[in-house]
Amino acid sequence: MPIKKIFTHSAALLALTATSFSTLAQEVNIYSFRQAFLIEPIMEKFTQETDIKVNILFAKQGLIERIKREGELSPADLVLTTDISRLVKLTSQDLTQAVHSEVLNKNIPSQYRDPDNQWFALTTRVRNIYSSSERVGAVKDITYQDLASPEFKGKICTRSGKHPYNVSLIASIIAHEGEAKAKVWLEGVKANLARKPQGNDRAQVKAVKDGLCDYALGNNYYLGKMLANPKQVSWAEAVSINFPNQKTTGSHVNVSGVVLAKYAPNKENAIKLMEFLSSDVAQKMYAEVNYEYPVKVSVQPSKLVASWGTFKADTLPLAEIAKQHEAAVKLLDEVKFDL
Amino acid sequence: MSAFSVDSSGSFQHLIDTVLFDYTVNTLLVIAGVLLLSFCFALPSAWFIACCDFPSRSILQWALMLPLAIPPYIVAIVYTDLFDFSGPIQGFLREFMHWQSVHDYYFPDIRTINGAILVLSLTLYPYLYLLLRGAFLGQSGGLFQAARSLGLSPFQAFKRVSFPLARSSMAVGLSLIAMETLGDFATVNYFAVHTLTTAVYDTWLELGSLTTAAKISSIMLLALVILISLESYSRRKQKTYQRSGATHTDLRFVLTHGKKWGVLTFLWSLLFFSFILPLSVLIYYALGYFSESLNTQLWQYTLNSFWLAIIVASLALLLALLLNFYQRLAPGILSKMTIRLSSLGYAVPGTVIAIGVLIPFTSLDLWLNRQLVEFGFSRVGLIFSGSLFILVFGYLMRFSAIAVGSIESSLAQVSPTLDLASRSLGQNVGQTIRRVNLPLIKKGMLTAFILVFIEAMKELPTALLLRPFNFETLATYVYQFVSDEMIEYAALPALLIVLMGLIPFIVVNRLLEKDC
């Protein structure tokens, strides 16, 4: 018996020293690809309303590997992503579980949910083309395809092609036009770049302001963020925001979203949080604080975002686009887009 | 190559067909550039400090190590902000020269391979400086004087006596720099330069091919091991031992006017660009955004970083001592391999190390929990991979190379005849180590401790991926803002990283001064 006793004691001790996740306390654990400070206000609101504590672990890479390795012991309840490809990757690697919730189904339109209820989009964001107000003005009819035409030579700025936002755009072009045409297009865009892909989306807008280029690819919410930042407001004021492909396929739209982890230890709380994130309160906050488009139809975008006008979005299912993710990454290597 | 192209998804072949060549060239260029430039920074400064006398020498001798305390990714952002088109430098030039747009003049682009090389060299040269200065100081002045009296010019004496004697330290310093450069993803990536490390990330995290990623990593490491082994093979017959304590203040060259100003300009410019300038920019931002960035958690993050660094530095020192004495007492292929293997982690990017240590420890946790359940106990959760244990382990994997290297180079200076003398006087192995070896390498031990401490303060990717919930270090906190290029909000915590890194410098300098 003493051996068993020692064993129990040391196990208990180990459990104490580890950052253990007791199921007694009301909490929910999130692995987040999004910076914690962006979602903290929303989580604080949730804690206020429910008394459930939200723990966030933020990293931009490797979280999927971590959750996969942790297996049935993973402390993660939810994973928040900033793009569709990771939602699909989590699902296809069997790291998620289905959520059957009336609330989620009511709040989130069906094109923004997985048909098998494995992932749910929370906000949408458009991949816009920003143009220099001073040198070209607004260009309402511009398309992504235009970016490859010779008259744009030396006028385009973008962040690394390998960034999920760009990979997803390229994947959508592959989904629409096939790989061969997409490759010709990507080569054309590369030939038109004003400089090697670098920096983030904001840095491209800054480059337009500085006169380094006339057009830049960037997500819509960065414009709102820059207008709210004293140092960056002058960058934002130097550009017009354009919604591409309005007369053709519609603008490429990506999503931020959430999955319930397969082995979520706090499943009930996690679903509560998912439902909260799709509710009017949270959707409104996403819209007002982060300038994203809420997925819930009844919630309006912020005044500023609404002032950019309505737009036609690409109707191709996101899952179809996500399927081309790997092909897009390889295409980027083939045309040496970032080099 | 055929052995390599057999692959789960053909992604290695894909890389060969597309970008592998460019990535390899970039990798070699970055490493060669950083080694060359660091060498040009470190060798003259180490020699001037060790062998010449001029005003402010006593300040410069430790100040030249300070750049180690600033994370390279911070310096990268600061330099980009300063030198890109809308930065103050070009802004001033435009105003001054009445240039209108980007097309009116040429200014070197900072976000290039050259920018990456410059920033990495400015932050990494202190490793080489530190080791070379130690080597030059340790050389007895008598040797140099003897060479001079035999008719050699100061330069010839340097080339034929001082320099060869410092070669082992130089090799250690350069290989540390090469490894750190290979392992640095953030800085190089920030400058839009793509290296083999990019390929490791892409294949692993985007294309999901662990095998390809592992292959590229192992090829990189293999190349490095071959290089390091070649170097040590080339001086296999060279054995030099020093009597330490032979300080030679009176033998320092007193520099005359022209030379004095030349040396002072060189050393102070180096210090300015590598430390004073980036630090000033951080202070400027930190003051400007003080109220926005000051919050109650900052103190907790500082403590977290500090204790983590202390623990890691102590363990790394212990590990380094064990490995080095094992090598000294039982020299052979096995002990040599152990030392080399233990050092490789430093050349691997933090994220890769992080996932690399996750694999065994999550497996261990899973096994342990299943065993417990089988024997009727309740689960204990991820006691290894979900706690600080794995974080400390990951850091150790990454940084033990630094400790092993500095102990190795200082132990190499202690002649084995001392061990033999001690043993013949009746001391056993333990006593010899404690009473002879350890006191002689005290400086090397302190150096090892500080260097690991500072690296641990700065480390980002390992911490980002391996930390448990609700555990932030200063570096992970800084990253939230820096990853969105909002350096202003990150300046205060970044400044704290630097200041914390300076503490052990000051403490150790005090200790060493008392000693002399």
Side-chain angles (χ1 to χ4, degrees):
Chain A
M1 251 11 218
I3 292 177
K4 193 171 175 183
K5 213 169 187 178
I6 290 168
F7 201 56
T8 328
H9 275 292
S10 41
L13 198 70
L14 277 171
L16 270 177
T17 52
T19 325
S20 58
F21 302 94
S22 95
T23 40
L24 291 173
Q26 288 292 305
E27 56 183 4
V28 55
N29 300 318
I30 301 177
Y31 282 0
S32 173
F33 284 100
R34 273 200 124 163
Q35 281 110 316
F37 73 88
L38 283 176
I39 40 177
E40 246 149 28
I42 300 177
M43 301 306 166
E44 272 164 25
K45 192 93 191 165
F46 174 72
T47 308
Q48 263 176 30
E49 286 189 3
T50 59
D51 248 1
I52 299 170
K53 189 169 172 256
V54 182
N55 303 310
I56 304 172
L57 186 94
F58 155 72
K60 280 202 168 170
Q61 275 164 327
L63 286 176
I64 296 184
E65 281 297 322
R66 177 163 171 177
I67 201 169
K68 189 156 89 185
R69 297 290 164 192
E70 288 171 339
E72 72 230 35
L73 298 176
S74 176
D77 296 303
L78 298 175
V79 184
L80 284 176
T81 82
T82 55
D83 71 316
I84 179 68
S85 71
R86 290 197 173 109
L87 290 176
V88 172
K89 198 181 272 181
L90 282 157
T91 306
S92 67
Q93 300 197 12
D94 194 24
L95 301 171
T96 58
Q97 54 177 309
V99 180
H100 302 285
S101 151
E102 284 299 311
V103 181
L104 286 176
N105 291 347
K106 197 176 94 234
N107 286 345
I108 304 175
S110 63
Q111 75 263 37
Y112 295 128
R113 284 184 263 128
D114 177 46
D116 299 324
N117 295 311
Q118 301 285 334
W119 56 259
F120 298 85
L122 295 170
T123 61
T124 66
R125 51 271 295 280
V126 179
R127 197 82 186 132
N128 293 99
I129 297 174
Y130 290 103
S131 56
S132 161
S133 308
E134 186 189 283
R135 292 183 299 279
V136 286
V139 276
K140 290 297 166 208
D141 291 339
I142 200 167
T143 64
Y144 299 115
Q145 284 72 11
D146 287 342
L147 297 180
S149 73
E151 72 227 52
F152 285 74
K153 187 143 191 84
K155 291 184 177 168
I156 300 171
C157 283
T158 177
R159 77 193 309 168
S160 160
K162 294 273 174 68
H163 191 277
Y165 301 158
N166 278 342
V167 174
S168 174
L169 171 64
I170 297 161
S172 82
I173 305 263
I174 297 177
H176 275 295
E177 305 185 7
E179 222 173 304
K181 270 192 158 173
K183 186 175 175 181
V184 175
W185 171 75
L186 198 59
E187 275 167 345
V189 178
K190 176 173 165 59
N192 287 343
L193 292 179
R195 58 174 190 183
K196 217 164 84 165
Q198 56 186 271
N200 58 8
D201 278 358
R202 296 181 206 229
Q204 314 314 317
V205 170
K206 183 178 169 206
V208 171
K209 187 217 159 205
D210 287 346
L212 296 172
C213 40
D214 293 342
Y215 302 90
L217 278 168
N219 282 0
N220 65 284
Y221 52 87
Y222 286 114
L223 191 61
K225 287 270 175 199
M226 285 186 288
L227 285 168
N229 181 323
K231 188 184 149 191
Q232 298 174 348
V233 64
S234 68
W235 312 353
E237 283 167 350
V239 295
S240 308
I241 184 167
N242 306 293
F243 292 87
N245 294 39
Q246 288 308 293
K247 291 189 172 159
T248 59
T249 49
S251 299
H252 172 62
V253 168
N254 208 328
V255 296
S256 76
V258 63
V259 301
L260 179 63
K262 187 172 183 183
Y263 299 105
N266 309 296
K267 191 172 162 182
E268 238 172 81
N269 292 346
I271 293 175
K272 259 188 217 162
L273 179 54
M274 288 173 91
E275 290 174 346
F276 175 79
L277 292 177
S278 74
S279 72
D280 282 17
V281 179
Q283 289 283 305
K284 190 117 194 106
M285 286 179 89
Y286 272 124
E288 298 293 335
V289 182
N290 288 346
Y291 307 102
E292 294 172 80
Y293 291 97
V295 285
K296 191 170 183 201
V297 183
S298 61
V299 178
Q300 297 304 311
S302 78
K303 263 209 183 96
L304 174 72
V305 175
S307 75
W308 300 334
T310 53
F311 65 96
K312 179 171 119 184
D314 188 353
T315 49
L316 203 68
L318 287 167
E320 287 302 309
I321 295 174
K323 273 184 199 157
Q324 302 300 333
H325 183 88
E326 202 178 311
V329 171
K330 288 190 169 176
L331 214 53
L332 282 159
D333 282 341
E334 282 172 32
V335 309
K336 301 188 180 180
F337 193 82
D338 282 349
L339 286 164
Chain B
M1 257 332 172
S2 65
F4 285 124
S5 47
V6 183
D7 187 4
S8 51
S9 61
S11 50
F12 194 72
Q13 190 60 44
H14 160 76
L15 280 177
I16 293 176
D17 294 342
T18 55
V19 285
L20 195 66
F21 180 73
D22 303 74
Y23 286 176
T24 311
V25 170
N26 281 347
T27 310
L28 293 175
L29 281 178
V30 170
I31 291 182
V34 172
L35 287 182
L36 191 69
L37 202 55
S38 318
F39 184 76
C40 294
F41 290 157
L43 182 71
S45 27
W47 196 77
F48 292 145
I49 294 285
C51 304
C52 304
D53 214 359
F54 47 87
S56 71
R57 199 195 71 94
S58 55
I59 299 175
L60 282 167
Q61 91 167 335
W62 56 268
L64 284 169
M65 292 188 285
L66 296 179
L68 277 184
I70 308 193
Y73 50 87
I74 299 286
V75 180
I77 295 169
V78 167
Y79 264 73
T80 314
D81 267 15
L82 284 176
F83 289 99
D84 76 355
F85 181 82
S86 49
I89 311 277
Q90 289 198 49
F92 171 77
L93 282 175
R94 278 196 300 274
E95 188 117 325
F96 194 69
M97 305 293 290
H98 302 291
W99 288 322
Q100 298 299 323
S101 81
V102 65
H103 308 293
D104 295 348
Y105 63 99
Y106 171 79
F107 194 87
D109 193 356
I110 182 80
R111 271 195 166 165
T112 55
I113 202 161
N114 297 329
I117 290 172
L118 177 71
V119 164
L120 282 172
S121 306
L122 281 175
T123 47
L124 295 178
Y125 84 87
Y127 280 120
L128 190 58
Y129 162 77
L130 190 64
L131 287 156
L132 282 178
R133 192 195 66 181
F136 290 144
L137 279 175
Q139 291 172 5
S140 76
L143 280 176
F144 191 82
Q145 292 305 319
R148 292 277 285 128
S149 71
L150 288 169
L152 295 184
S153 72
F155 180 72
Q156 282 171 323
F158 171 76
K159 198 178 109 187
R160 293 173 60 178
V161 177
S162 306
F163 188 71
L165 282 173
R167 226 177 106 183
S168 76
S169 305
M170 199 167 63
V172 174
L174 286 175
S175 53
L176 279 180
I177 292 176
M179 287 202 273
E180 170 97 32
T181 306
L182 263 185
D184 189 312
F185 180 67
T187 311
V188 177
N189 193 48
Y190 189 79
F191 284 105
V193 175
H194 300 274
T195 62
L196 288 172
T197 311
T198 318
V200 174
Y201 272 68
D202 281 354
T203 46
W204 195 338
L205 301 171
E206 298 298 329
L207 301 176
S209 172
L210 181 62
T211 44
T212 307
K215 244 178 242 169
I216 303 167
S217 293
S218 9
I219 294 172
M220 279 160 69
L221 293 182
L222 194 68
L224 199 71
V225 171
I226 291 173
L227 263 180
I228 295 173
S229 318
L230 276 181
E231 196 286 330
S232 79
Y233 182 75
S234 75
R235 56 182 163 83
R236 66 198 176 281
K237 291 194 180 133
Q238 183 192 22
K239 288 248 184 312
T240 57
Y241 302 104
Q242 310 282 336
R243 268 184 317 122
S244 69
T247 47
H248 47 117
T249 328
D250 46 332
L251 291 176
R252 281 194 191 118
F253 293 107
V254 178
L255 294 178
T256 51
H257 255 299
K259 284 179 187 159
K260 182 174 81 186
W261 288 114
V263 167
L264 283 177
T265 313
F266 175 76
L267 294 178
W268 279 101
S269 319
L270 183 58
L271 184 64
F272 177 79
F273 285 109
S274 59
F275 187 72
I276 299 172
L277 180 66
L279 190 75
S280 314
V281 173
L282 282 186
I283 292 175
Y284 170 77
Y285 281 141
L287 290 177
Y289 287 75
F290 193 73
S291 51
E292 287 95 330
S293 37
L294 190 70
N295 62 50
T296 46
Q297 292 139 333
L298 215 49
W299 176 239
Q300 185 58 47
Y301 302 156
T302 310
L303 281 181
N304 288 349
S305 284
F306 178 78
W307 283 113
L308 191 59
I310 290 274
I311 292 169
V312 170
S314 315
L315 290 175
L317 179 61
L318 206 65
L319 185 70
L321 287 173
L322 279 175
L323 287 172
N324 274 296
F325 277 109
Y326 172 51
Q327 149 103 331
R328 192 175 176 89
L329 296 170
I333 288 287
L334 187 68
S335 57
K336 199 163 198 114
M337 287 301 284
T338 324
I339 281 215
R340 287 287 153 260
L341 281 178
S342 74
S343 302
L344 289 181
Y346 195 45
V348 179
T351 303
V352 177
I353 286 271
I355 299 176
V357 298
L358 263 179
I359 294 171
F361 284 114
T362 44
S363 305
L364 177 65
D365 278 330
L366 285 165
W367 177 84
L368 190 71
N369 279 276
R370 281 170 198 157
Q371 293 301 311
L372 283 174
V373 172
E374 195 141 303
F375 286 105
F377 300 100
S378 60
R379 283 180 175 182
V380 290
L382 298 168
I383 49 175
F384 293 110
S385 60
S387 67
L388 285 177
F389 173 87
I390 195 169
L391 197 56
V392 172
F393 192 88
Y395 273 46
L396 268 184
M397 288 286 292
R398 205 151 138 57
F399 299 132
S400 54
I402 311 170
V404 169
S406 31
I407 300 290
E408 192 180 7
S409 68
S410 69
L411 202 57
Q413 310 271 316
V414 180
S415 164
T417 52
L418 285 177
D419 297 24
L420 296 177
S422 156
R423 295 297 298 280
S424 71
L425 289 170
Q427 304 281 312
N428 63 27
V429 176
Q431 285 165 324
T432 304
I433 290 177
R434 209 175 60 240
R435 300 180 59 181
V436 179
N437 295 147
L438 287 184
L440 283 173
I441 59 164
K442 198 162 106 192
K443 222 168 171 174
M445 285 163 61
L446 286 171
T447 311
F449 185 87
I450 307 185
L451 291 181
V452 178
F453 178 90
I454 290 171
E455 284 294 335
M457 283 300 300
K458 296 188 292 185
E459 172 61 15
L460 176 65
T462 318
L464 207 53
L465 200 53
L466 293 181
R467 75 207 142 113
F469 278 106
N470 304 321
F471 184 88
E472 297 278 348
T473 66
L474 285 173
T476 60
Y477 183 66
V478 163
Y479 178 68
Q480 283 202 49
F481 301 100
V482 165
S483 64
D484 223 0
E485 299 193 15
M486 298 198 291
I487 179 83
E488 310 87 54
Y489 294 91
L492 186 62
L495 209 53
L496 283 171
I497 296 182
V498 182
L499 293 179
M500 298 301 286
L502 295 184
I503 293 176
F505 263 126
I506 297 164
V507 173
V508 168
N509 259 305
R510 280 277 160 79
L511 285 175
L512 291 179
E513 267 165 27
K514 262 186 207 159
D515 225 36
C516 299

